[in-house]
Amino acid sequence: MSEADASETRFRRMNDLPSTHLLGSGTAMCAGCGALQGVQQIYDVLGEKTVFVNAAGCMTLLSVYPFTPFRGSWLYTAMACAPAGAQGVRDALDLLVAKRRLPPEEDLDVVVLAGDGASYGMGLSATSAAIDRGLDFLYVCYDNEGYGNTGQQASAATPHAARTATDLGPAGFPGEKKDLFSIWVANRPSYVATAIASEPLDLARKVEKAKRLRGPRLLLVLAPCPTGWDFEPGELVDVGRLAVATGAWPLKEWERETGRVVHTRVRRPRLPLEQYLRRQGRFRHLFEPVRQEGVLAGLQARVDAYWEAVG
Ligand SMILES: Cc1ncc(C[n+]2csc(CCOP(=O)(O)OP(=O)(O)O)c2C)c(N)n1
Ligand code: SF4
Ligand SMILES: [Mg+2]
């Protein structure tokens, strides 16, 4: 079987499963999960006085009722309504503090934890409304660029030409990745940042800043996904670093106070995008059986245009 056929079989098999991660009678995360790596690093900085409001997706599989690995608090919500859940939790905590039933020092930070399917799509109107109300919450979106939990169907975060469980043809995904960073900025919350766990110092600094600020804040964390993107678990950090070094995943932040987008880590010269794409089976059809020169040039041109526009 050729590499391309093996990749397609793997995607089809994933899509046949009722859930991607059922191992025997229990559940488990995939080895080398970039989202889990991000959540661990973020939680290290946030600490236990945090309540995660977790929209349905891969990370909800961490908790198997009545057990959860989160040492603090955790609440499950449906895909579209984590920001509404966060509002209820924030209001309840505020009332308890106001009625002196919760000492202020025991108050919790409210953190939405949601995938890209929830954040770029289904949950976007609930998010917009929460920002409009000035809800005091941190929104962590782990972006694995597809509906990972159900077998990596395309989402509004899927990059152009990537193979997904719903785009198995030679062209891959025909759409374009939505610019969620700019959508949040347009809503004028307190803070918006992108990050990735393979750049842990940059990530930790952004979590610290987000924790200090109040109001609506977003951390948009690219989450390389060996299962959905089709690479070996041991390549997780390399793939993440290449996302940054090729300029495909710009690391940046925006604060309402300054109103400016600042790029926090810029690789010069940028590596060719192809080095990032080649490491992932979801782009293999662009290289074999026939190299799709036009598509590859178009993908590189998108990255170049971004960096030319931001100077
Ligand atoms: C309204 C609704 N439609 C479909 C589902 C089934 N579902 C559960 S998790 C999931 C994928 C969510 O994707 P994303 O938010 O990107 O998180 P990931 O699975 O990638 O971690 C889907 C489609 C659901 N729970 N609710
Ligand atoms: S499908 Fe991807 S994001 Fe989901 S648990 Fe597996 S590696 Fe992590
Ligand atoms: Mg996802």
Side-chain angles (χ1 to χ4, degrees), residues 116-248:
D116 51 286
S119 308
Y120 285 68
M122 272 185 229
L124 196 48
S125 66
T127 305
S128 175
I131 299 172
D132 290 351
R133 293 190 301 269
L135 177 63
D136 183 20
F137 77 132
L138 171 63
Y139 192 126
V140 174
C141 169
Y142 61 95
D143 181 359
N144 61 6
E145 304 190 320
Y147 288 167
N149 180 232
T150 42
Q152 198 70 3
Q153 296 82 18
S155 78
T158 300
H160 183 69
R163 176 177 292 189
T164 74
T166 36
D167 304 284
L168 290 168
F173 178 60
E176 300 285 340
K177 186 178 178 78
K178 189 186 282 185
D179 184 359
L180 190 65
F181 181 93
S182 298
I183 290 171
W184 264 75
V185 168
N187 279 270
R188 302 198 61 75
S190 301
Y191 183 65
V192 187
T194 62
I196 188 165
S198 55
E199 298 287 349
L201 294 180
D202 182 76
L203 174 69
R205 194 187 58 73
K206 287 168 176 167
V207 182
E208 276 170 1
K209 185 182 277 191
K211 188 174 160 64
R212 275 199 309 274
L213 293 167
R214 298 267 65 88
R217 294 148 280 157
L218 172 70
L219 266 180
L220 181 53
V221 184
L222 187 69
C225 164
T227 310
W229 298 10
D230 193 6
F231 61 84
E232 289 302 317
E235 294 182 76
L236 170 65
V237 174
D238 284 353
V239 170
R241 286 186 179 148
L242 280 168
V244 176
T246 58

Side-chain angles (χ1 to χ4, degrees), residues 46-66:
L46 292 177
E48 287 177 34
K49 279 162 61 178
T50 300
V51 51
F52 283 101
V53 182
N54 193 180
C58 285
M59 294 304 110
T60 46
L61 298 184
L62 285 166
S63 301
V64 182
Y65 182 82

Side-chain angles (χ1 to χ4, degrees), residues 194-196 199 202 206 244 249-253 262-266 307:
T194 62
I196 188 165
E199 298 287 349
D202 182 76
K206 287 168 176 167
V244 176
W249 186 249
L251 293 175
K252 55 188 174 180
E253 63 187 353
V262 175
H263 287 84
T264 54
R265 198 158 283 222
V266 182
W307 288 102

Side-chain angles (χ1 to χ4, degrees), residues 7-17 165 168:
S7 171
E8 180 156 336
T9 307
R10 195 161 156 187
F11 270 95
R12 287 193 190 287
R13 207 178 293 137
M14 277 166 52
N15 207 29
D16 286 345
L17 294 171
L168 290 168

